[in-house]
Amino acid sequence: GKENLPDKGPFLVICNHYGGGEPESLLRTFKNVDLHLAIGKEIWWDQSTFTRWFLKKFGTIPVEESLSNLTETEKEEALKRQGKSGKAVFRKIIDREKEGKLATNVGFIRQSVALLSRGDALGIFPEGLWLNPEGKIKLREKPELKQAYKGMELVASQYKKLTGEELPIVPTAFIEDRKSGKKKVVIGTRGSKLALWQ
C-alpha cells in the first residue's frame, strides 16, 4: 500500500499493536510527515525523567491508560500475566478505576487536535494495553484489530468542530508471514470514516 502513503497531514493513523516494535516502524513508514504517536502515560511516560525527555524528542503524546472495557475478573487475570513493572502499572489502573476515576484524557484530545489543526499527523493504537492471553507477543497474519477502545471518533469530532473539516483516517496494519517470518506494514486507502478498517 505504498501508493496510499499521504505526503502531508493532517490525518489520523489507526494501527494494530501486538508489542513488537510497531511505533518505531510506523515512524519509519510515515517518515515524510510529522507523525506524533499516542503513548501510554503510566506504562511509559511516567517511568522516568529520561524516558519522558526521550519520548518528547519523538513528539509522542501521553494518553492515560484504561482497562474499563474489561470485567473485574478479566482485569485481575490480565494483571497476573504481567511482569514486575507491568503488574505495578496494572494494579494502579485497576485501583484507580475501582475508585471511579476513569481516564478522561481531555489534555490528550486538546493536544491532538492542536497538532492536527496545524497539519501534523497522529498515530493511535486503539487496542489499548497489551492483553494477550498467553502473556507473549502474538503476531498476526491478517490486518485485524482486537476489540478497540472508542475515543478516536472524539479526536475526529473535535477536529471537525475546530476546523469545519473531516479528519482523514489512514488504516494501517502490521502483519507477519508465519512461514517466512517476514513482517510488513499494510497501508489502507485514506478516507474520512472510522469504519474503513475491515
Side-chain angles (χ1 to χ4, degrees):
K2 285 183 182 177
E3 70 281 1
N4 298 325
L5 270 172
D7 51 8
K8 63 178 185 175
F11 57 86
L12 181 62
V13 177
I14 303 299
C15 191
N16 63 344
H17 188 18
Y18 48 71
E22 298 82 16
E24 300 89 338
S25 296
L26 211 58
L27 288 170
R28 281 194 302 274
T29 302
F30 289 89
K31 64 184 175 194
N32 295 326
V33 296
D34 197 356
L35 177 65
H36 303 265
L37 298 179
I39 192 157
K41 183 177 184 298
E42 292 180 67
I43 288 179
W44 294 107
W45 191 265
D46 289 344
Q47 288 305 304
S48 70
T49 305
F50 174 77
T51 302
R52 193 163 34 255
W53 170 84
F54 181 77
L55 293 170
K56 282 181 183 178
K57 295 290 265 183
F58 285 96
T60 59
I61 308 171
V63 59
E64 193 171 22
E65 300 92 339
S66 173
L67 291 168
S68 61
N69 64 334
L70 302 179
T71 65
E72 292 304 316
T73 303
E74 289 171 331
K75 288 179 187 181
E76 293 298 331
E77 288 170 1
L79 174 69
K80 290 175 190 170
R81 293 192 299 269
Q82 303 308 308
K84 187 176 180 181
S85 61
K87 274 189 173 34
V89 172
F90 270 56
R91 176 48 64 200
K92 191 174 180 182
I93 296 166
I94 291 168
D95 291 346
R96 172 171 43 84
E97 291 180 349
K98 276 184 181 174
E99 294 170 11
K101 298 175 185 171
L102 300 177
T104 58
N105 285 305
V106 173
F108 169 76
I109 301 293
R110 286 184 182 147
Q111 196 174 358
S112 298
V113 172
L115 292 168
L116 290 162
S117 64
R118 74 179 191 201
D120 291 357
L122 174 66
I124 296 180
F125 302 99
E127 295 173 310
L129 298 174
W130 184 15
L131 301 171
N132 288 332
E134 302 85 5
K136 299 174 183 173
I137 291 175
K138 186 177 180 184
L139 304 184
R140 303 173 202 182
E141 295 173 300
K142 294 187 222 172
E144 60 188 1
L145 281 175
K146 293 184 291 181
Q147 181 178 351
Y149 283 96
K150 293 183 178 178
M152 300 164 289
E153 67 276 13
L154 186 54
V155 172
S157 67
Q158 290 301 309
Y159 174 82
K160 185 174 182 179
K161 188 186 281 187
L162 181 69
T163 66
E165 300 172 2
E166 294 287 338
L167 179 62
I169 310 297
V170 179
T172 307
F174 286 90
I175 60 175
E176 179 185 47
D177 184 305
R178 294 283 186 212
K179 292 177 184 173
S180 68
K182 289 183 179 177
K183 298 173 191 173
K184 66 180 176 178
V185 182
V186 178
I187 301 158
T189 306
R190 183 176 176 176
S192 60
K193 294 184 180 176
L194 288 169
L196 280 174
W197 193 284
Q198 295 180 4

